Amino acid sequence: MIANNQNPFIAGNWKMFKTIPEAVELVKALKEKSPEFNDAELVVIPPFTALSEVKKVIEGSTIKLGAQNLFWEEQGAFTGEVSAPMLKDAGCQYVTIGHSERRQYFDETDETVNKKIRAALAYELYPIMCLGESLEEREKGKTIDKVESQINSGLEGLGSEEISKIIIAYEPIWAIGTGLTATPAQAEEVHSFIREKLVEKYGKKTASCAIILYGGSAKPDNTYSLLKENNINGALVGGASLKADSFVQIAKEAIKAYKEKK
Ligand code: PEP
């Protein structure tokens, strides 16, 4: 099980939206269109309550399932938490870890991100590790320092074999849910830094296959220009993944950009 970036990777983070019937309706609409995006890896990331029903709908399609979080212990007296084997059991292949909303509202740190990544890998779930700077950090010229320290701490102690199973999502906090998007040049600057950092730490082979996503108000009208950049392999989409039309359009724009840059 190794990640590769031969096709664009588009993941829809539904956050705390969608009841079970709403989730099923959305994923059915995506499934209907799925033959149109065979050339992309499409992942839906519903709330925990909808995972099993969404899994039933995507059966037999190319759409994959992800979860929004996990706790690092396998089981035990941890009321309110969900473990990696439980997500595996529900049919997940991916799990987002360290989303900025979790860091901001639920006190996640680079240390807990590292523990969660290890737990995910132990159960053959691909972690989607989220990182990115705040507006204040960007304005102070600290973007690269922030991203570097999140990579160093979040991935601490992991070797290149493990890194080859981790997806990194660069999500500038000031662009998440705000309608502001990093320009392609701003995003590419950070993405290329991340790839160089992976080369330095894990070697060229691992780094060149790594999937590095952009997240932050990705929409149908900005996906193409972002994904044309060399080091942007896909998008982690929040708001625009809640409607089938916009998510499908994003996937199509991504495929178009990817074909042109190949
Ligand atoms: C996200 O949830 O990771 C995200 C990037 O949200 P949005 O696309 O709404 O900014």
Side-chain angles (χ1 to χ4, degrees), residues 129-157:
M129 176 173 101
C130 304
L131 46 82
E133 82 288 1
S134 65
L135 185 58
E136 196 190 346
E137 286 160 342
R138 174 157 286 268
E139 285 174 349
K140 287 188 174 154
K142 299 272 183 224
T143 297
I144 294 296
D145 288 351
K146 175 69 181 286
V147 167
E148 183 169 29
S149 89
Q150 286 180 316
I151 290 182
N152 284 338
S153 319
L155 300 180
E156 198 180 310

Side-chain angles (χ1 to χ4, degrees), residues 66-242:
Q68 297 178 19
N69 183 30
L70 55 66
F71 186 57
W72 55 82
E73 296 289 347
E74 279 175 31
Q75 60 176 6
F78 303 105
T79 303
E81 295 296 327
V82 172
S83 71
M86 289 170 180
L87 297 180
K88 194 74 187 165
D89 188 38
C92 292
Q93 280 179 260
Y94 296 92
V95 55
T96 52
I97 292 177
H99 191 281
S100 71
E101 288 151 15
R102 296 218 51 89
R103 294 178 189 255
Q104 186 179 350
Y105 304 124
F106 303 99
D107 298 329
E108 296 218 352
T109 62
D110 292 331
E111 197 190 346
T112 61
V113 165
N114 185 270
K115 286 184 172 184
K116 290 181 178 200
I117 288 175
R118 289 166 184 272
L121 291 172
Y123 283 88
E124 296 191 330
L125 290 162
Y126 287 103
I128 302 175
M129 176 173 101
C130 304
L131 46 82
E133 82 288 1
S134 65
L135 185 58
E136 196 190 346
E137 286 160 342
R138 174 157 286 268
E139 285 174 349
K140 287 188 174 154
K142 299 272 183 224
T143 297
I144 294 296
D145 288 351
K146 175 69 181 286
V147 167
E148 183 169 29
S149 89
Q150 286 180 316
I151 290 182
N152 284 338
S153 319
L155 300 180
E156 198 180 310
L158 301 172
S160 50
E161 205 188 315
E162 288 149 318
I163 298 304
S164 68
K165 298 169 187 165
I166 295 173
I167 294 151
I168 296 179
Y170 167 57
E171 300 206 295
I173 298 169
W174 49 272
I176 299 179
T178 58
L180 298 173
T181 319
T183 63
Q186 282 174 323
E188 174 64 11
E189 185 195 0
V190 179
H191 280 238
S192 69
F193 170 77
I194 294 172
R195 198 164 319 266
E196 277 166 30
K197 190 82 203 154
L198 296 179
V199 173
E200 181 192 308
K201 286 168 80 81
Y202 308 105
K204 216 169 176 167
K205 195 164 158 231
T206 303
S208 64
C209 296
I211 299 173
I212 309 175
L213 309 179
Y214 168 79
S217 300
K219 302 261 177 324
D221 64 3
N222 56 32
T223 299
Y224 174 81
S225 55
L226 285 159
L227 266 86
K228 281 279 279 191
E229 297 291 340
N230 273 339
N231 289 292
I232 303 185
N233 306 118
L236 180 54
V237 186
S241 71
L242 296 173

